[in-house]
Amino acid sequence: MKRHSGQDRSITQHWRPATLAVRGGTARSEYGETSEALFLTSGYCYDRAEDAAARFAGEQTGMTYSRLQNPTVEMLEERIALLEGAEACRTMATGMAAMTAVLLCQLQQGDHVVAGRAAFGSCRWLVDTLLPKFGIQTTTVDARDPQAFEDAVRANTKVFFFETPANPTMDVVDLKAVCGIARERGITSVVDNAFATPALQRPMDFGADVTAYSATKMMDGQGRVLAGAVCGTTDFINNTLLPFTRNTGPTLSAFNAWVVLKGLETLDLRIRRQSDNALAVGRFLEARVPRILHPGLPSHPQYELAMSQMVAAGGIFAFEVADRTQAHALLNALELIDISNNIGDSRSLMTHPASTTHYGVSAEARAEMGVTEGLLRLNVGLEDPQDLIDDLDRALGQVGL
């Protein structure tokens, strides 16, 4: 296959993000297809037995098994790496497979992790429940305060793990400050960048070592498939992450990789429009609800930091009503916006985190994060924002707001 990028990045190094999202990593077969080919195969054949032996020994380039390599998957990995400004990328079956692998691949019994306390429910489960089962110590901190990371460091601290903006409270982390502390101490910084994607924020530009993604979200962007990704140096991806994924098998299917490739082609267009729509909806809600958490609004306590790190605030934000009863009533009164725990979709979706995405987190941890009984998370899609405002206006009126 003739690779148009990946093997020779001198071709792509001057391309801008919107171009990379459409053409980065493209590989064409002898048929010269314009759209990326979908390779639905689990295995590969060899001309000679010696070729098979050489490939498994790493002495010959080529495919061996789709748990390790697949042409369609490799195109997606190269494209994400180019968008991220990373040396390499490894994709996985889901976002949580990526989060689990990026932690377990580099940690062992006796190590210590400092994690942001505000996080997706399953990510908090990794920190609070899974890692301690393997004898890995964890400390959660208010990630909005860089000093909290500094103060939590121990002699055995190996990883800083955090989201920015955080799910669902929209806490923003000072990437330069926190990643700088990690670099000074020889600690690996791992940033979950799923809310922003590299289209709006590139943590490595601010010193992050590794970025991790649920590509299910904005990268696919239309609620179709599950996918995850981890970006880092070639050394980290090939020598730390790959041995773990090679033997545990959280493999992304070729079909899902192809779907995400198609999603990336419109990522820049979608995420900018959704950011604009979310600002319009956020400005409306700001005057109607007790509290709104939108990093693109000046009322957000970290607005200036968010805008210094992000191109735009994205399409996701949260707001609070009185309690669970009022939150559920508001959800039930919606006609256009769907009740769904997904995010990143082109359709507008709303959920009540305390009873869905963070249901498995203890009440104490939810309180620590700021996931209150009245908190609602809204994913603003590509609909006309006035239609969304009209739907919210009517539903808010029904619940007395």
Side-chain angles (χ1 to χ4, degrees):
M1 297 180 71
K2 179 184 178 183
R3 292 196 69 91
H4 285 202
S5 62
Q7 292 179 342
D8 182 7
R9 288 201 178 187
S10 63
I11 297 174
T12 64
Q13 65 181 345
H14 302 300
W15 290 356
R16 293 170 177 80
T19 304
L20 290 172
V22 176
R23 293 183 174 271
T26 299
R28 289 179 178 147
S29 72
E30 64 271 23
Y31 297 107
E33 63 278 353
T34 55
S35 180
E36 297 84 2
L38 178 55
F39 288 87
L40 295 177
T41 182
S42 58
Y44 305 89
C45 298
Y46 314 92
D47 292 334
R48 303 179 310 132
E50 290 81 3
D51 291 331
R55 288 192 195 177
F56 273 82
E59 298 166 355
Q60 183 186 96
T61 60
M63 307 285 167
T64 59
Y65 192 58
S66 278
R67 176 159 49 85
L68 302 175
Q69 315 102 350
N70 176 280
T72 308
V73 174
E74 285 197 349
M75 282 189 274
L76 176 61
E77 290 171 341
E78 177 68 5
R79 184 168 297 177
I80 294 174
L82 289 167
L83 286 168
E84 190 70 32
E87 291 179 3
C89 171
R90 185 82 180 169
T91 55
M92 286 168 229
T94 69
M96 284 314 303
M99 303 304 161
T100 304
V102 78
L103 293 173
L104 290 182
C105 76
Q106 59 180 316
L107 294 167
Q108 61 185 359
Q109 184 178 10
D111 288 344
H112 176 241
V113 175
V114 181
R117 69 186 186 189
F120 177 53
S122 294
C123 289
R124 270 300 298 253
W125 184 86
L126 292 179
V127 172
D128 294 344
T129 304
L130 182 66
L131 295 183
K133 286 184 177 181
F134 292 97
I136 299 165
Q137 302 164 20
T138 62
T139 302
T140 55
V141 300
D142 184 347
R144 296 170 296 183
D145 179 11
Q147 188 62 42
F149 282 91
E150 181 86 60
D151 293 343
V153 171
R154 304 173 185 172
N156 58 339
T157 303
K158 295 297 191 295
V159 172
F160 285 175
F161 177 50
F162 58 90
E163 307 170 6
T164 184
N167 182 1
T169 57
M170 309 308 294
D171 289 0
V172 178
V173 180
D174 187 330
L175 285 165
K176 185 175 180 181
V178 173
C179 295
I181 293 168
R183 285 282 175 95
E184 290 173 3
R185 300 297 194 96
I187 297 166
T188 301
S189 54
V190 177
V191 182
D192 178 347
N193 195 39
F195 269 29
T197 80
L200 296 186
Q201 177 176 265
R202 301 208 315 178
M204 290 183 181
D205 291 348
F206 298 90
D209 296 307
V210 178
T211 55
Y213 289 97
S214 172
T216 307
K217 308 303 189 287
M218 288 301 307
M219 288 187 181
D220 169 29
Q222 290 159 78
R224 300 169 295 191
V225 298
L226 302 175
V230 176
C231 296
T233 63
T234 300
D235 178 65
F236 178 85
I237 297 297
N238 290 342
N239 298 322
T240 301
L241 182 65
L242 180 56
F244 180 89
T245 59
R246 177 198 302 274
N247 294 294
T248 58
T251 308
L252 179 63
S253 74
F255 178 77
N256 286 12
W258 184 85
V259 173
V260 177
L261 277 165
K262 297 295 97 182
L264 286 178
E265 292 181 1
T266 60
L267 172 62
D268 188 75
L269 295 170
R270 286 184 288 103
I271 201 165
R272 289 174 186 270
R273 175 58 66 87
Q274 287 177 250
S275 294
D276 290 344
N277 288 355
L279 272 177
V281 174
R283 291 187 183 109
F284 162 76
L285 283 171
E286 192 169 30
R288 292 288 294 274
V289 298
R291 184 171 180 237
I292 188 167
L293 300 167
H294 189 317
L297 293 175
S299 59
H300 191 282
Q302 297 168 289
Y303 167 74
E304 292 184 3
L305 173 62
M307 293 300 95
S308 72
Q309 297 179 165
M310 303 175 70
V311 175
I316 305 158
F317 65 90
F319 64 94
E320 283 187 318
V321 294
D323 51 28
R324 179 181 290 213
T325 299
Q326 191 172 53
H328 280 194
L330 177 59
L331 287 167
N332 292 336
L334 295 168
E335 294 178 352
L336 172 59
I337 299 168
D338 289 312
I339 304 171
S340 177
N341 50 282
N342 195 25
I343 53 173
D345 202 304
S346 58
R347 303 160 189 82
S348 291
L349 313 170
M350 195 188 298
T351 196
H352 178 247
S355 58
T356 58
T357 59
H358 290 67
Y359 172 78
V361 177
S362 70
E364 293 77 15
R366 288 200 300 270
E368 178 189 60
M369 287 188 227
V371 180
T372 66
E373 288 296 310
L375 189 73
L376 290 160
R377 188 192 66 197
L378 176 58
N379 171 88
V380 178
L382 293 172
E383 303 95 342
D384 189 302
Q386 189 57 52
D387 287 332
L388 301 174
I389 290 169
D390 291 345
D391 190 36
L392 287 163
D393 181 44
R394 182 191 47 76
L396 288 165
Q398 288 190 27
V399 300
L401 290 171

